[in-house]
Amino acid sequence: MTNERLRDALLSRGLTPDQLAERIAVDPKTVERWITKGRTPYAKSRHKIAAILQESESYLWPDALSEAKASEVSNSEIVKVYAHRNSVPADLWDKLLAQATTYVDMLVYVGMFMTEKPGLLELLRSKAEAGARIRLLFGDRDAPAVIQRSTDEGIGPHTISAKIDHALAYFRKLDGVPGIEIRTHGTVLYNSIFRFDDEMIVNPHVYGKMAAHAPALHLRRLSAGDLFTTYADSFTAVWEHAQPHKWED
């Protein structure tokens, strides 16, 4: 059976089977068999391919790992659990952002705490100019889910909407910068997600609690793990249904 996932991942990265074969030091015919006949590479090759294609092994070869093994690897993707998001050290945020060269993604309703970082806009702009893809997702101020969340937190139905206005006004300076996109969404925000290349801070939300008082997970992607990929896929799902923000004059 043809491995369409592997074929599609190669195409999306602009790689040919021959180029992949050269990068992982195998015969090109071997790569062709992995694609056209659905053969499963040895673990060493799977790790290399997954890293090159920025996909998880379990996605490219669903049957290669047992459920127990995949779960074990996913647990290893958890670097640290913080009881509250505001307990995440400031220098960790700075380190993750500074080291990111390819992806910076942010999914929030407001994310106002990020604006407290001096030079944030200039740093994001410079990363985009260097080739990074930066995607910023804020809440739609008029969305029912946003108004309900504000009510659930006990701060009034329109308080979060006002905070969104404030955050968007801050990030407006990045509007139109090549490599940076800003969208708004109206989804129920189960988690805030902050991705920096292959590391991520996930902030699962808790009913009645401010996001800063809810837990946070520091994740680091492993090629055979599913946890990081699960949250990355969630971000993509929201992004694809979000709308480019329309700025008012």
Side-chain angles (χ1 to χ4, degrees), residues 37-53:
K37 298 184 180 299
R39 302 278 179 84
T40 301
Y42 291 120
K44 183 178 180 180
S45 293
R46 293 200 306 269
H47 298 334
K48 292 179 180 179
I49 296 168
I52 291 169
L53 300 181

Side-chain angles (χ1 to χ4, degrees), residues 44-238:
K44 183 178 180 180
S45 293
R46 293 200 306 269
H47 298 334
K48 292 179 180 179
I49 296 168
I52 291 169
L53 300 181
Q54 292 289 297
E55 297 286 358
S56 68
E57 289 185 47
S58 58
Y59 171 76
L60 295 172
W61 302 282
D63 299 325
L65 294 174
S66 68
E67 184 175 344
K69 182 61 177 178
S71 178
E72 179 184 341
V73 174
S74 294
N75 287 339
S76 298
E77 291 186 298
I78 302 174
V79 178
K80 188 167 183 176
V81 177
Y82 296 90
H84 311 289
R85 191 205 67 204
N86 61 8
S87 298
V88 179
D91 60 352
L92 176 58
W93 290 104
D94 294 341
K95 176 185 175 183
L96 294 177
L97 182 56
Q99 291 180 344
T101 59
T102 306
Y103 305 113
V104 176
D105 292 334
M106 184 170 77
L107 168 61
V108 294
Y109 273 165
V110 182
M112 202 63 201
F113 75 100
M114 294 294 289
T115 69
E116 299 171 2
K117 299 188 173 299
L120 175 65
L121 299 184
E122 291 76 12
L123 181 58
L124 291 176
R125 185 189 299 271
S126 66
K127 288 187 176 294
E129 290 173 350
R133 182 204 65 192
I134 297 172
R135 300 182 296 180
L136 307 177
L137 269 170
F138 297 92
D140 176 349
R141 67 175 324 280
D142 298 318
V146 171
I147 295 170
Q148 184 63 52
R149 174 62 184 273
S150 193
T151 302
D152 292 344
E153 288 188 8
I155 56 177
H158 303 296
T159 301
I160 289 181
S161 297
K163 290 181 177 181
I164 290 172
D165 292 341
H166 188 181
L168 284 168
Y170 176 83
F171 283 97
R172 183 171 186 170
K173 294 179 181 178
L174 298 177
D175 180 42
V177 175
I180 299 179
E181 291 187 74
I182 300 174
R183 297 185 183 182
T184 54
H185 68 98
T187 64
V188 175
L189 192 64
Y190 298 107
N191 307 275
S192 292
I193 297 174
F194 307 85
R195 179 182 179 180
F196 311 94
D197 288 350
D198 287 337
E199 296 196 57
M200 184 183 288
I201 301 291
V202 177
N203 181 201
H205 295 302
V206 177
Y207 178 81
K209 296 285 187 179
M210 296 173 57
H213 299 163
L217 311 176
H218 177 193
L219 308 180
R220 181 176 294 131
R221 180 176 185 165
L222 297 176
S223 64
D226 275 339
L227 190 57
F228 184 101
T229 300
T230 294
Y231 285 111
D233 289 347
S234 176
F235 180 96
T236 299
V238 178

